[in-house]
Amino acid sequence: MMISLLLILVLFEQVCVSPVTRIVVLPKPYEDNKVKAVINEKFFLTCFSQNQASTSSLKWLSPSGQPISNDPTLRIYTALNNQQLMLHFEKLEPTDAGLYACQGVHDGLPDQVKIELTLEKKISFHDTKLEQFIKAGQDQLVQCHASSIPGPEIAWFRHGISTNLKNDHKYQITNDGLVIKNVQIEDEAIYLCQASVTSTGEIKRAQINVQVMHQPIWDVKPIDTDGVNGQDIVVRCKANAKPVPKYSWFRNGIMLVGERYVFTADSLRILKSNVNDRGTYTCEAENNSGKISANFRINILVGPVIAPLEEVRVLEGNEARLKCIVREAFPKAQITWKYADTLENISPSSDSSIEIVADSIEDSNDNLVGSWSELRIKPADRRYNRNITCVASNKAEVNERQVRLIVEYKPTLLINSESKEFYYSWLNVDSSGSSGSSSSHVSRGASVLMTCIATGEPKPQITWFFKTEQIKHDNVKYILHKQQLGLSQLEVIPDGLEDFGDYQCKAENTVGSSYRNIELRMATSPSLPPMLVLQATKPESVNFQVTVSNEAESNGGLPIHTIKAQWRFLNSDWSNQNEKNFPVTNAERLLVHVGALMPDTEYLFRVAGVNKVGLGKWSQEIKIKTLSRRQPEPIRVLSQEDCTASTKCYIEWTSDSNGGSPIRDYLVKWRRLSYKDSSNKHVDTNRLGRWSDVVVIKAPITNYEITSILPNSFYEVDVVARNDIGPSASQPFRIRTLPGQIGELEAFRKPNESVINRIILICGSIIAAIILFIIIDVLLLMKFDCGLLAILTKSCTNQKEITIDFKPTPTKIVQHTNKSNHPYKPISQTEDHTGNASIPLRPNENV
């Protein structure tokens, strides 16, 4: 009994009096010794004693109470690490959940800690395709399977999480997914399957692209197509379907095969089509939901084929018929007419002589068809003598053919500037007489080329007659040129008066002939003298205006080519005259300038016209007195305003009148007016620049190159001519220099800036010299009691002797000059042999 009581007391002491367990498990349990872990993850528990010295033999027991092995090849094993026993789970499985115990021995007594391992599983989706196809018109399931521990809650959304789907007439949420009732094409969208666990706060979404499978629906339905013979044909056929449909092509129920047929995803191309490709075709689109088909027709268009057209000839006044035949075309060709040269359409509405007759053949739906059109012109005249174009067109193409309509008519002789009514020639004379004189000796006359031009169809042949006799080519008197149809030229070289008169030109073709007289007239020297009008008088020259008549009879039948002017002193006769020839252009009025006259002198002037025959009658004489001697007239500038350089400019001039006295020289000067700034804007200077120095140019030189001027500037230039009487009037002109490469400050400074700068420099130098003189004078006065001025004038007679040798002695003067930025320069001197005074040199300077 006593032994039992003792044992009870010992046990009570161990339970009630002994300390709490010394074993610790990590991670620390959160409640009721529970530890959480995640399925499919690695995990470990750590067990150790707080008093390692009194605790030993640590081991882990499984929920079944069995010790856990330390074999690391097992999925669950233990490992000892620094007195800590670790329980490793390489990959947690749902069966690993349970109560695990860590046991040890403490002070000889067993000790343990029990840990309950609870497992969680993260949300995962399985058997859930991210792209799913459902059929239209049926109830279809969109599958979504999610799992987790604890189990997830499932929600469905469409078009993002803003549209939460509920169980209603359209949608039903099941454990397997979302049921969409009576699926339509508009049910195709992105759906979200959301799984969430409230206790853990975990949430995941699967984005499922739901495609609605439906039978094909036409996007582009094939239509009837017109192709051009010989060209490729493309027909489009496109259907919208899920899945993408397969296309098949048929012609008259037979599937198309062969290299001429090229199939793409949505089109059929027939290579180099021909008329045999016409017919009814079928495009068929099919997928596992259904099939659709559409019929269409292909027509092969054939461009018009025009038969060759032959030349049509008709006499003027008769009816002309031109027929254009189209051999084949599809569809029927439309035929029109136009003039080939002007492209003007020919229509009865615009020309009452026109009538167009066409066939009445109806168009055919399948077969090639021909057609024709006839152009009738009544009456036909020479206006229609031209190329006419037949134009045949349909939907395939436009073709043309030309035909020549020739309207024959008898020749018509033309009179124009080339083919004249009359021509002129004259008989040459020798030196013993004049033309028309009975004592003259006539030689062969001047040749003349007469032209005859005729129109007609066919082109006429031209022959020449004189006095009813046909002219033959003899290469002496008669020479025929350009003998061709419709044109002939006859060169006549008259021997005497009998060769002048009417010549006859005859034009002849198969329709008839025509005649025209062409007169050869005798030309003479001008019979009407020119009119002479004084325009201007100067000391050394005069200007006249001469008016010449353009009438052939007044000019002797030939144009005046020269005006001869003569003048003499008033008190002399015409045997001592001066003369000058002036060529005549096509103008009626001619300006005549006569120079090298004497000032203040009276002259008589007269003029006469000259043609190929000779000199005509003299005009009425005009008495003119030149002006007295005076200054030259202002110069006239010949050079351009724009210079060819930036800092120099070439100028050139002339003087129209020297005032009756030779010009000795020219006076040239210039000044700057304005400039252009860096932005090329014109800037006027505040005041005119200073004139340059006058440059004298000796006559007869009339040019000069101005240099040393600024770029990009306007200058005013004045050139004055000077003779013994005096200078001419001033008449300045402008020049403009090119932009230069110098800086803006230099390019745009005013002309007087350099002068101002020089004045400032000179004044500054003078002031500096005066200040230096005063400083030296004061220093000498302080040391020697005698100033510099007194030393220079040798007026220091009552003062002590001043001896300044040439040794480098540091003096106050030298020290003062050393403070300057410039070295003290030696002063020119003349040595005085009577005294010992001398001018000091710079410090350290040797003599």
Side-chain angles (χ1 to χ4, degrees):
M1 186 67 179
M2 289 299 292
I3 295 173
S4 300
L5 181 61
L6 289 173
L7 289 173
I8 293 171
L9 289 175
V10 170
L11 290 172
F12 178 80
E13 180 183 6
Q14 292 296 326
V15 174
C16 299
V17 180
S18 62
V20 182
T21 179
R22 298 294 182 178
I23 297 176
V24 178
V25 175
L26 295 179
K28 187 177 180 179
Y30 62 94
E31 64 175 18
D32 299 331
N33 287 344
K34 291 182 179 180
V35 175
K36 289 182 180 180
V38 178
I39 294 176
N40 294 328
E41 300 290 339
K42 289 184 178 182
F43 185 71
F44 68 90
L45 293 170
T46 304
C47 174
F48 62 91
S49 173
Q50 292 180 348
N51 189 348
Q52 297 179 0
S54 60
T55 303
S56 62
S57 302
L58 292 175
K59 61 181 178 181
W60 281 98
L61 302 178
S62 67
S64 62
Q66 298 298 320
I68 299 175
S69 172
N70 61 357
D71 184 359
T73 62
L74 300 177
R75 186 175 63 84
I76 302 174
Y77 64 94
T78 62
L80 185 64
N81 183 16
N82 294 330
Q83 303 299 321
Q84 297 178 352
L85 185 62
M86 306 179 71
L87 176 58
H88 286 275
F89 298 87
E90 287 299 317
K91 183 178 182 182
L92 286 169
E93 296 181 355
T95 58
D96 294 334
L99 191 63
Y100 290 81
C102 180
Q103 294 182 347
V105 178
H106 175 65
D107 292 335
L109 296 177
D111 190 8
Q112 72 174 4
V113 173
K114 291 186 177 182
I115 298 297
E116 182 180 356
L117 178 61
T118 62
L119 297 179
E120 295 179 352
K121 180 182 179 183
K122 292 185 178 180
I123 299 172
S124 64
F125 291 97
H126 57 90
D127 296 331
T128 303
K129 295 182 180 180
L130 299 182
E131 184 176 33
Q132 300 185 32
F133 293 90
I134 59 178
K135 291 185 178 182
Q138 304 176 15
D139 295 349
Q140 294 285 294
L141 174 65
V142 180
Q143 294 182 350
C144 178
H145 299 91
S147 63
S148 67
I149 299 178
E153 296 178 2
I154 303 298
W156 284 87
F157 302 89
R158 181 183 180 186
H159 300 305
I161 61 174
S162 60
T163 307
N164 190 1
L165 304 181
K166 304 292 183 180
N167 289 325
D168 55 17
H169 69 284
K170 183 66 179 176
Y171 303 104
Q172 182 180 355
I173 300 175
T174 68
N175 292 332
D176 293 327
L178 176 67
V179 176
I180 303 176
K181 300 176 181 179
N182 190 20
V183 173
Q184 302 297 320
I185 294 178
E186 53 268 20
D187 292 324
E188 185 173 288
I190 301 295
Y191 290 80
L192 295 179
C193 176
Q194 176 179 289
S196 61
V197 179
T198 305
S199 61
T200 62
E202 185 182 6
I203 186 170
K204 279 190 176 181
R205 299 185 183 98
Q207 182 173 285
I208 303 174
N209 182 12
V210 176
Q211 301 282 339
V212 177
M213 293 189 298
H214 59 88
Q215 72 175 16
I217 300 173
W218 289 121
D219 275 351
V220 179
K221 191 173 182 180
I223 60 174
D224 294 345
T225 303
D226 291 334
V228 178
N229 187 34
Q231 298 182 9
D232 293 355
I233 300 175
V234 177
V235 181
R236 291 197 62 200
C237 175
K238 185 176 182 181
N240 180 12
K242 292 289 178 66
V244 176
K246 177 184 177 182
Y247 295 92
S248 301
W249 298 84
F250 304 87
R251 178 172 182 262
N252 298 328
I254 301 175
M255 181 175 290
L256 298 180
V257 292
E259 296 180 353
R260 292 184 58 243
Y261 304 106
V262 179
F263 307 100
T264 64
D266 61 352
S267 69
L268 164 67
R269 177 183 292 271
I270 302 177
L271 303 178
K272 297 182 179 179
S273 64
N274 55 60
V275 293
N276 296 324
D277 291 319
R278 289 182 298 178
T280 300
Y281 290 74
T282 302
C283 173
E284 183 178 276
E286 181 180 12
N287 65 2
N288 54 14
S289 296
K291 176 173 64 175
I292 58 174
S293 62
N295 295 329
F296 61 95
R297 180 171 180 79
I298 291 181
N299 293 316
I300 304 300
L301 307 181
V302 178
V305 179
I306 304 176
L309 301 178
E310 295 184 355
E311 179 182 272
V312 176
R313 286 182 173 270
V314 62
L315 287 177
E316 188 173 27
N318 294 341
E319 182 183 41
R321 293 190 177 190
L322 294 83
K323 192 170 186 177
C324 180
I325 299 176
V326 176
R327 290 176 174 172
E328 61 179 27
F330 184 83
K332 181 182 177 181
Q334 179 73 26
I335 302 176
T336 58
W337 299 85
K338 65 181 180 180
Y339 295 113
D341 50 358
T342 64
L343 304 181
E344 176 188 358
N345 288 328
I346 302 175
S347 171
S349 60
S350 59
D351 189 344
S352 60
S353 301
I354 299 296
E355 180 184 4
I356 298 178
V357 179
D359 64 71
S360 57
I361 301 175
E362 295 295 333
D363 199 355
S364 173
N365 292 329
D366 296 316
N367 300 322
L368 299 178
V369 61
S371 57
W372 58 268
S373 175
E374 187 174 72
L375 173 64
R376 300 174 181 178
I377 305 173
K378 183 179 181 179
D381 56 40
R382 64 191 68 184
R383 292 183 297 118
Y384 302 102
N385 201 345
R386 57 206 300 187
N387 287 331
I388 296 177
T389 302
C390 168
V391 181
S393 61
N394 63 5
K395 292 172 64 176
E397 62 181 332
V398 178
N399 286 325
E400 298 180 352
R401 274 193 183 272
Q402 287 188 10
V403 59
R404 178 67 179 179
L405 174 59
I406 300 176
V407 179
E408 297 183 347
Y409 59 94
K410 76 173 187 177
T412 300
L413 292 163
L414 303 181
I415 299 177
N416 51 35
S417 59
E418 187 178 1
S419 179
K420 304 176 183 178
E421 292 186 86
F422 51 83
Y423 293 84
Y424 285 91
S425 182
W426 64 96
L427 297 176
N428 295 324
V429 298
D430 57 23
S431 59
S432 62
S434 61
S435 178
S437 173
S438 59
S439 60
S440 62
H441 295 80
V442 179
S443 61
R444 296 190 67 189
S447 67
V448 58
L449 189 66
M450 298 187 294
T451 302
C452 181
I453 301 177
T455 63
E457 188 60 48
K459 288 288 186 180
Q461 181 73 38
I462 296 178
T463 53
W464 292 85
F465 296 86
F466 182 61
K467 296 179 180 180
T468 69
E469 291 186 6
Q470 183 176 348
I471 298 176
K472 302 293 184 180
H473 178 91
D474 60 10
N475 208 28
V476 178
K477 180 184 292 187
Y478 301 118
I479 303 173
L480 293 174
H481 298 276
K482 292 186 178 180
Q483 280 296 99
Q484 58 193 43
L485 295 178
L487 173 64
S488 177
Q489 290 181 323
L490 174 63
E491 182 181 358
V492 180
I493 306 175
D495 288 335
L497 296 176
E498 65 277 6
D499 293 324
F500 292 85
D502 289 335
Y503 287 75
Q504 193 173 62
C505 170
K506 177 184 177 182
E508 185 177 14
N509 64 8
T510 58
V511 181
S513 60
S514 299
Y515 299 85
R516 183 170 77 84
N517 289 333
I518 299 178
E519 183 182 1
L520 178 60
R521 297 179 178 178
M522 173 73 74
T524 63
S525 60
S527 59
L528 182 65
M531 294 181 59
L532 184 64
V533 178
L534 179 65
Q535 292 289 310
T537 304
K538 298 180 180 180
E540 77 288 3
S541 64
V542 293
N543 291 336
F544 296 99
Q545 178 178 283
V546 178
T547 302
V548 179
S549 174
N550 284 333
E551 295 183 2
E553 294 182 358
S554 301
N555 297 332
L558 299 175
I560 294 176
H561 59 76
T562 302
I563 293 294
K564 183 181 291 291
Q566 290 186 348
W567 65 94
R568 64 180 176 86
F569 294 113
L570 182 63
N571 55 359
S572 66
D573 55 33
W574 287 109
S575 61
N576 296 318
Q577 88 281 359
N578 294 294
E579 67 178 26
K580 185 177 181 180
N581 293 328
F582 299 91
V584 177
T585 61
N586 293 330
E588 295 183 6
R589 292 178 175 81
L590 177 69
L591 183 63
V592 173
H593 174 79
V594 178
L597 301 178
M598 297 180 62
D600 199 20
T601 304
E602 291 185 321
Y603 290 90
L604 286 179
F605 287 86
R606 66 179 183 180
V607 293
V610 180
N611 63 11
K612 290 184 178 180
V613 177
L615 181 67
K617 293 184 178 180
W618 289 103
S619 67
Q620 186 177 359
E621 298 174 0
I622 297 179
K623 183 175 72 172
I624 297 174
K625 184 177 181 180
T626 56
L627 300 179
S628 58
R629 295 173 66 242
R630 59 196 64 203
Q631 297 95 334
E633 288 186 357
I635 61 100
R636 178 163 52 88
V637 182
L638 301 179
S639 55
Q640 300 295 323
E641 178 179 318
D642 290 332
C643 305
T644 58
S646 57
T647 57
K648 59 184 178 180
C649 192
Y650 176 81
I651 59 173
E652 186 177 2
W653 64 87
T654 186
S655 180
D656 293 330
S657 175
N658 60 14
S661 178
I663 295 176
R664 294 186 305 171
D665 50 36
Y666 298 92
L667 309 180
V668 181
K669 61 181 180 179
W670 59 91
R671 62 179 176 182
R672 193 177 183 212
L673 294 177
S674 61
Y675 63 90
K676 288 188 176 181
D677 60 15
S678 57
S679 61
N680 209 34
K681 293 182 178 179
H682 188 78
V683 178
D684 293 326
T685 53
N686 293 332
R687 59 180 181 270
L688 293 175
R690 184 179 62 87
W691 283 107
S692 67
D693 295 335
V694 176
V695 178
V696 180
I697 307 297
K698 294 294 184 181
I701 298 175
T702 58
N703 59 76
Y704 180 69
E705 187 174 64
I706 302 174
T707 59
S708 300
I709 52 180
L710 295 178
N712 215 21
S713 302
F714 283 99
Y715 279 84
E716 182 181 34
V717 181
D718 190 17
V719 179
V720 174
R722 189 167 59 174
N723 63 8
D724 292 337
I725 307 301
S728 65
S730 175
Q731 191 167 311
F733 58 93
R734 287 198 321 174
I735 60 173
R736 178 172 58 188
T737 56
L738 295 177
Q741 301 297 327
I742 64 174
E744 290 184 6
L745 291 177
E746 178 63 21
F748 304 137
R749 65 181 178 84
K750 298 177 183 178
N752 56 355
E753 285 182 354
S754 59
V755 178
I756 295 174
N757 292 339
R758 288 197 293 269
I759 294 175
I760 293 174
L761 181 62
I762 294 173
C763 292
S765 301
I766 294 174
I767 293 172
I770 293 174
I771 293 174
L772 181 63
F773 182 85
I774 294 173
I775 292 173
I776 296 174
D777 186 65
V778 171
L779 292 176
L780 291 176
L781 180 63
M782 292 171 61
K783 183 173 180 65
F784 303 110
D785 296 329
C786 186
L788 180 60
L789 184 61
I791 294 175
L792 295 177
T793 59
K794 300 180 181 180
S795 59
C796 293
T797 55
N798 298 328
Q799 305 296 331
K800 63 182 179 180
E801 183 178 2
I802 301 174
T803 303
I804 303 176
D805 57 16
F806 289 91
K807 295 180 180 180
T809 304
T811 65
K812 292 182 179 179
I813 299 177
V814 172
Q815 292 173 357
H816 173 75
T817 55
N818 280 342
K819 296 178 181 179
S820 172
N821 292 327
H822 303 282
Y824 191 84
K825 297 181 180 180
I827 301 175
S828 300
Q829 58 178 334
T830 302
E831 186 176 354
D832 187 356
H833 298 283
T834 60
N836 295 323
S838 62
I839 303 299
L841 299 175
R842 289 180 293 181
N844 302 325
E845 184 173 3
N846 296 324
V847 177

